[in-house]
Amino acid sequence: MERKHFVNSFFWFILGGSTLIVVSFLGIILWDIFSKGFSSLSWAFISSFPRDGMTQGGILPAIIGTVLLTLITTLFSVPFGVACAIYLNEYAKPTLLTNIIRASIRNLAGVPSIIYGLFGLALFVQALDFGTSVLSAGLTLGLLSLPYIITTTEEALKRIPNSLREAALALGVTQFETIKDVVLPKALPGILTGVILTLSRAAGETAPILFTGVAFFINGISASPYQEFMALPYHLYMLSTQHNEIEQVRPLAYGTATVLILVVFSLNSMAFYLRFKNRTQD
Amino acid sequence: MEEIKLRAENLNLYFGKKQILKNVSIAFPKNQVTALIGPSGCGKSTLLRSFNRMHDLSPDAKIEGKLFLENLDLYDKKNSVTDIRKRIGMVFQKPNPLPKSIFENLSYALNIHNYPKHSIPNLIEAALKESFLWDEVKDELKKPAVKLSGGQQQRLCIARTVVLRPEVILMDEPCSALDPLSTKKIEELIEKLKENFTIVIVTHNMQQAQRISNKVAFMYLGEIIEFDTCDTIFKNPKNELTQRYIGGHFG
Amino acid sequence: MNSRTREKIDSLLKLIFKGAGFLTITLLAGIFFLLFSNSILFFLDVSPLDFFTGSQWDPDTHFSIIPLLVSTFWVAIGSMLLAVPLGVLTAAYLSEMAPRSLQTVLKPIIEMLAAIPSVAIGFLGIVLVGPGLAQLFGIQNGLNALNGSVLLAVMALPTIVSISEDAINAVPKSHREASFALGANKWETLFKVTIPAAFPGLIAAVMLGLGRALGETMTVLMATGNSAAIPRGFLDSVRTITATIAIEMGEVPYQTTHYFALFAIAGLLFLITMVINLTGEFFANRLRKFDA
């Protein structure tokens, strides 16, 4: 009896302990970054340009750059991704071709992000001659996001019962009209959840934008998509490894990390909320 | 001689390698209710759905033989499938209102088919009255259709079909998901609708078939075993299989 | 619009949707073509023998992938050694022990871990894990393979936990009941019946986690010190394939041997991650069949 009790507590300790360690990772990460980063946050920090060789000032251009970047990513990847998911779920018959498309998508999801960077460099920067620009980088991230958008959209479409499609078709409504008027509106919250999660991921990506347009510093903001740009994740990378006075800019790095994580987490919370609301409605 | 509205000639239907309908020939008379009965899996729903081409989207469905709405060849590539579906409406087993308001459930297809805007409210009112639903919903046409009760939803689905003035209404076990009271209402509704429409109804409920239909086809393993007037099938069936099914010996 | 026009629009849009589907094949084929055409140009300059057997990566003279390849696997395998036991035990806790209410709290927390950008994890490698390791082992700086492994483990954990949990949940209840009926206790059942039965799924979890670790760039770039030599221990600084591309691609002159060399190592990385992901998927599919 004594031994059994010991064994029980031992295994409980091992399993529970592992879980505790995993969960505490998140705690440690957030605590370290937020506790040191919040003191750097101020209105000036998020609303001004870096000054004095980046040892002073704020991160406004990096915020704007990241917003612009994810905007281009969205404009490109959402229409294509949703269209592809519609094809797979609504039209495609289980043929060899469909299987090849599905296999490609799964493979694309596993391609390392730096390789997307190389592809973006070759295709957008060089072949299409968009140069190193926010356009090239946004399109590169768009390609990277494509498999996730497709997968999450397809899942949302799968949840729409076939009886709704039949209801519309039986009224002499064409398949496209059915998709546009019945299927998509009903699947919208699910699709939106996937899109937001994908964008939060894209906003935090660094490797694919390294050679496609991100810059250490720009001294003005313009609306041209052919401009180089600053981005939050790259700014953090640069402040923590490439700067001449790393110790001096550490508070700025912590501040940038805090803003980046807050951006990503608020996008994630939005997606969680949408998903929760959607599930409880059904 | 009764006038034939809808018919199938030597229809064979396969899902992949499996043959579901075997050499089915049948003709449905105009402005009458014809019931398709038979044990589950006998192909009665499959037959029903081939008339408004609902199998078009099933990748492995293959159809041989001819289907006609009067003289219109339903599977001729020249003919528009949306026109065919508008002329041959369908009501499904489970009520499937569109995720829109009551009004939009009816106006949606009217808009798609270019009915003049100003005529739409009147058409909708007429269809809802014809489907015994108007009095229950006239004050809340903007309410989401899914908020209605199951029986009301099914009557809405009938109204949604009726509003397009189809020539034929196919009904696939329309009462199987409903309570007895709602079932009774729908049966009364069918009785009245046959004045204006040709109705083909699949049912697993023999009392229902007896109550509402003029003619009955008994199907078994993808074949039409016997097709005759309601009275003959239920009181004096010729085929032994029909007798046994009617007698409740299998099914 | 009459129905003819509407049906024409319908078939036109079907074609457009199909085109979008084709885009994915084109994209994968494009990546494949880019990497391999440039790799061939590289192998016209440098013999494959030197590439696969040499021991030095020095962009002026020697292009051997070996130090980079060893570094890449060194860090990734180190991360799996940390993450797999932790992840599987956590999954076991979540699916076998945790009450439902705790599950609903813990799962989103672990999912949140996956949402943290890799550059932020790399930053912590510099400011937190690095100094920690330096103090712990009495070395000058903590930017080394172990640092990278720790960070990659954190990043791979959500994947490993969630797939392992699916695998454990998919083991039929009857297996467990049979084990209990034979007099085995909860732990014997977990370790001798449930986890072995979930094994294919656990392999899938490890493979997909490994695939992610091998392809990760920013964390290893920031945390491993980036010296392109064959590591002898976990406290040595390493330089992975991804980090090498990240460091050198920005500076390299267009269409030189060095430029092509970076595509060649990317090509190899592409193949490796593809094989590992396919293996993972193979086992994940077996898991699904088990489920059905």
Side-chain angles (χ1 to χ4, degrees), chain C residues 9-290:
Chain C
I9 293 176
D10 191 50
S11 26
L12 180 73
L13 278 150
K14 181 177 174 175
L15 272 180
I16 292 178
F17 288 132
K18 195 169 187 172
F22 268 110
L23 184 80
T24 59
I25 303 182
T26 326
L27 175 57
L28 188 66
I31 292 175
F32 198 82
F33 175 78
L34 171 79
L35 296 176
F36 286 87
S37 58
N38 282 305
S39 297
I40 287 169
L41 293 173
F42 169 72
F43 286 121
L44 292 179
D45 289 347
V46 175
S47 105
L49 198 69
D50 291 344
F51 184 65
F52 285 112
T53 59
S55 61
Q56 225 186 328
W57 175 271
D58 170 2
D60 293 323
T61 49
H62 295 283
F63 294 101
S64 164
I65 195 172
I66 297 301
L68 311 180
L69 197 61
V70 173
S71 293
T72 302
F73 273 97
W74 199 240
V75 179
I77 288 174
S79 77
M80 287 300 114
L81 291 177
L82 296 169
V84 171
L86 263 183
V88 173
L89 291 174
T90 301
Y93 178 79
L94 285 175
S95 67
E96 304 285 285
M97 292 173 63
R100 194 150 271 289
S101 55
L102 196 58
Q103 277 184 30
T104 52
V105 179
L106 290 180
K107 281 191 200 175
I109 290 181
I110 295 172
E111 262 184 71
M112 288 286 246
L113 206 51
I116 297 177
S118 57
V119 70
I121 306 258
F123 177 62
L124 282 173
I126 295 173
V127 296
L128 194 68
V129 182
L133 291 178
Q135 206 162 43
L136 191 64
F137 293 100
I139 45 181
Q140 200 159 37
N141 83 42
L143 298 182
N144 53 30
L146 182 59
N147 192 339
S149 293
V150 170
L151 301 179
L152 288 184
V154 171
M155 295 180 71
L157 269 169
T159 313
I160 293 179
V161 171
S162 115
I163 301 176
S164 304
E165 209 201 328
D166 289 347
I168 292 173
N169 280 334
V171 175
K173 223 177 162 183
S174 54
H175 278 46
R176 271 163 253 195
E177 282 161 357
S179 165
F180 288 136
L182 291 172
N185 66 30
K186 199 170 166 184
W187 309 111
E188 286 167 338
T189 306
L190 176 63
F191 288 103
K192 293 193 180 144
V193 178
T194 311
I195 289 186
F199 199 63
L202 299 182
I203 295 185
V206 174
M207 286 297 160
L208 296 174
L210 184 62
R212 194 169 170 200
L214 287 171
E216 176 48 43
T217 307
M218 294 318 286
T219 40
V220 290
L221 173 63
M222 292 164 85
T224 58
N226 296 319
S227 86
I230 297 177
R232 273 170 308 239
F234 276 110
L235 296 179
D236 278 2
S237 159
V238 294
R239 164 109 79 85
T240 65
I241 295 178
T242 52
T244 305
I245 301 170
I247 293 166
E248 295 175 11
M249 199 67 200
E251 332 258 284
V252 64
Y254 189 42
Q255 301 223 323
T256 54
T257 308
H258 185 191
Y259 175 90
F260 294 134
L262 294 176
F263 280 92
I265 61 174
L268 194 69
L269 177 69
F270 176 80
L271 284 184
I272 291 170
T273 50
M274 190 159 126
V275 168
I276 285 174
N277 286 330
L278 285 177
T279 316
E281 217 179 276
F282 171 76
F283 283 106
N285 284 339
R286 278 185 42 178
L287 171 69
R288 249 165 253 139
K289 272 173 204 147
F290 195 36

Side-chain angles (χ1 to χ4, degrees), chain B:
Chain B
M1 193 59 203
E2 61 200 356
E3 191 185 332
I4 296 302
K5 189 74 192 176
L6 191 68
R7 65 196 153 92
E9 283 175 8
N10 306 104
L11 175 65
N12 286 296
L13 190 145
Y14 307 81
F15 279 131
K17 290 213 166 67
K18 202 167 168 229
Q19 185 167 10
I20 308 293
L21 296 177
K22 292 171 189 158
N23 205 27
V24 170
S25 295
I26 190 167
F28 302 106
K30 188 174 172 183
N31 289 11
Q32 294 198 16
V33 177
T34 306
L36 302 176
I37 62 169
S40 37
C42 69
K44 50 194 193 302
S45 288
T46 309
L47 174 61
L48 193 76
R49 293 163 67 91
S50 48
F51 283 105
N52 69 342
R53 294 186 44 177
M54 286 311 259
H55 297 305
D56 281 18
L57 292 182
S58 317
D60 52 350
K62 200 179 91 199
I63 287 187
E64 293 165 356
K66 295 249 179 222
L67 295 146
F68 292 97
L69 174 68
E70 291 174 344
N71 288 321
L72 182 78
D73 183 342
L74 296 178
Y75 281 81
D76 189 331
K77 287 239 174 345
K78 285 203 304 288
N79 296 323
S80 146
V81 62
T82 53
D83 280 347
I84 286 170
R85 289 186 183 141
K86 185 172 166 263
R87 293 175 65 184
I88 305 178
M90 183 158 190
V91 176
F92 297 85
Q93 190 169 358
K94 266 175 67 186
N96 54 355
L98 300 171
K100 299 170 185 285
S101 73
I102 296 172
F103 185 86
E104 287 163 337
N105 258 275
L106 276 77
S107 65
Y108 176 55
L110 293 173
N111 284 322
I112 290 265
H113 293 291
N114 295 310
Y115 282 70
K117 280 266 178 297
H118 59 87
S119 68
I120 288 177
N122 292 333
L123 289 172
I124 288 177
E125 185 178 335
L128 285 171
K129 280 181 176 155
E130 212 172 350
S131 313
F132 302 164
L133 194 59
W134 176 252
D135 290 334
E136 291 162 57
V137 301
K138 65 181 177 210
D139 298 323
E140 40 186 22
L141 292 175
K142 289 215 170 79
K143 195 164 97 168
V146 287
K147 294 260 164 78
L148 295 171
S149 75
Q152 289 174 322
Q153 286 187 15
Q154 194 63 305
R155 275 178 282 144
L156 180 72
C157 293
I158 294 175
R160 181 176 71 189
T161 309
V162 163
V163 79
L164 291 173
R165 310 314 304 173
E167 293 155 53
V168 180
I169 300 178
L170 309 170
M171 295 188 169
D172 189 0
E173 303 194 28
C175 303
S176 67
L178 303 182
D179 60 274
L181 218 68
S182 307
T183 302
K184 186 158 172 283
K185 271 201 170 139
I186 298 224
E187 287 180 8
E188 286 166 14
L189 175 55
I190 291 171
E191 189 64 29
K192 198 183 130 222
L193 288 175
K194 76 175 178 190
E195 293 164 15
N196 298 315
F197 306 94
T198 302
I199 293 173
V200 183
I201 180 168
V202 165
T203 175
H204 60 261
N205 179 334
M206 274 175 286
Q207 285 74 37
Q208 183 172 61
Q210 217 165 348
R211 284 194 296 267
I212 60 174
S213 55
N214 305 98
K215 294 191 83 172
V216 175
F218 169 64
M219 291 183 71
Y220 186 64
L221 296 178
E223 288 177 271
I224 306 255
I225 304 295
E226 195 167 349
F227 180 41
D228 216 318
T229 62
C230 184
D231 272 359
T232 318
I233 291 282
F234 283 104
K235 300 207 173 105
N236 195 12
K238 296 186 181 61
N239 190 293
E240 196 196 338
L241 273 170
T242 320
Q243 279 171 21
R244 285 175 57 199
Y245 183 70
I246 302 295
H249 294 294
F250 69 93

Side-chain angles (χ1 to χ4, degrees), chain A residues 19-74:
Chain A
T19 311
L20 194 65
I21 292 175
V22 174
V23 171
S24 66
F25 282 144
L26 184 74
I28 293 169
I29 293 169
L30 296 187
W31 184 79
D32 187 74
I33 290 182
F34 287 170
S35 69
K36 295 173 187 155
F38 269 122
S39 55
S40 305
L41 294 192
S42 64
W43 175 243
F45 185 68
I46 55 173
S47 69
S48 62
F49 270 67
R51 277 181 289 115
D52 305 335
M54 299 223 184
T55 56
Q56 299 292 320
I59 55 170
L60 178 68
I63 294 176
I64 292 179
T66 290
V67 170
L68 215 59
L69 183 70
T70 27
L71 192 71
I72 293 175
T73 303
T74 318

Side-chain angles (χ1 to χ4, degrees), chain A residues 92-104:
Chain A
K93 299 178 173 173
T95 58
L96 179 68
L97 177 73
T98 312
N99 286 337
I100 294 176
I101 294 181
R102 287 185 190 282
S104 303

